Amino acid sequence: MLHLPTPDATAKLLASLLGRPVKVGAGKVDDAKLTIAGTYRSGDIANAAMCLMDAGFGAYAGAALSLLPVAVATGYVKKGRLEEDILDNCGEVLNVCSRLFTSDDQHRVTLDTRHFAPEPLPPAATALLAGGKRLDLVLDIDKYGSGMLVLAVPG
């Protein structure tokens, strides 16, 4: 069984990827706003873990990854969904987040599927949100903005 990372380990990995500080902020995650999901496979096990985020975190992280202006990301946040020019970057963030679930005694964890609004979240995401172990975070990306991120594994 996979384990959840700590908030600090999550912020550290994302800061390394994005090349700027990422801080764990205060706030509550609103599940209804989680519109982006990545499901992860571990060995033969599908849906072994999941990473969900709102449009804010997806937009700011995607923009920071390729140094797009913050105004571009803010435009996506206002729309509530991402478009092609930033989806690949957001997908890369999901891909790198697989490392958060990997440990020395576990199988390799890889990104299996990606889901972006307006596509509905997969049923496995709803099930993990309701009954799995989860780490809810509000993360602030320096000079970009903040958003919600949830990491989940089966209970």
Side-chain angles (χ1 to χ4, degrees):
M1 178 180 284
L2 301 178
H3 300 282
L4 291 172
T6 65
D8 288 340
T10 303
K12 183 177 177 180
L13 175 80
L14 291 167
S16 175
L17 171 67
L18 302 176
R20 60 187 56 250
V22 175
K23 294 181 183 172
V24 178
K28 184 175 167 119
V29 170
D30 179 356
D31 288 355
K33 293 185 178 181
L34 300 172
T35 59
I36 299 165
T39 63
Y40 300 91
R41 174 177 291 281
S42 177
D44 293 338
I45 303 169
N47 300 317
M50 186 147 312
C51 177
L52 300 111
M53 58 184 79
D54 69 342
F57 188 78
Y60 293 129
L65 185 62
S66 61
L67 302 175
L68 290 172
V70 70
V72 172
T74 302
Y76 289 128
V77 173
K78 288 180 183 176
K79 286 183 190 177
R81 59 179 269 203
L82 309 182
E83 293 184 19
E84 286 299 317
D85 63 343
I86 207 163
L87 284 177
D88 284 340
N89 290 349
C90 187
E92 183 57 23
V93 172
L94 289 171
N95 187 41
V96 170
C97 282
S98 67
R99 296 180 194 164
L100 292 168
F101 302 105
T102 303
S103 64
D104 293 336
D105 62 344
Q106 299 293 333
H107 292 283
R108 182 172 176 239
V109 178
T110 57
L111 180 63
D112 193 23
T113 63
R114 303 180 317 171
H115 303 271
F116 300 102
E119 181 183 336
L121 292 178
T126 306
L128 273 180
L129 284 173
K133 295 178 186 176
R134 52 188 278 177
L135 174 63
D136 292 15
L137 299 170
V138 175
L139 297 170
D140 183 50
I141 302 168
D142 187 49
K143 295 189 173 54
Y144 276 86
S146 64
M148 297 177 280
L149 180 80
V150 174
L151 302 169
V153 295

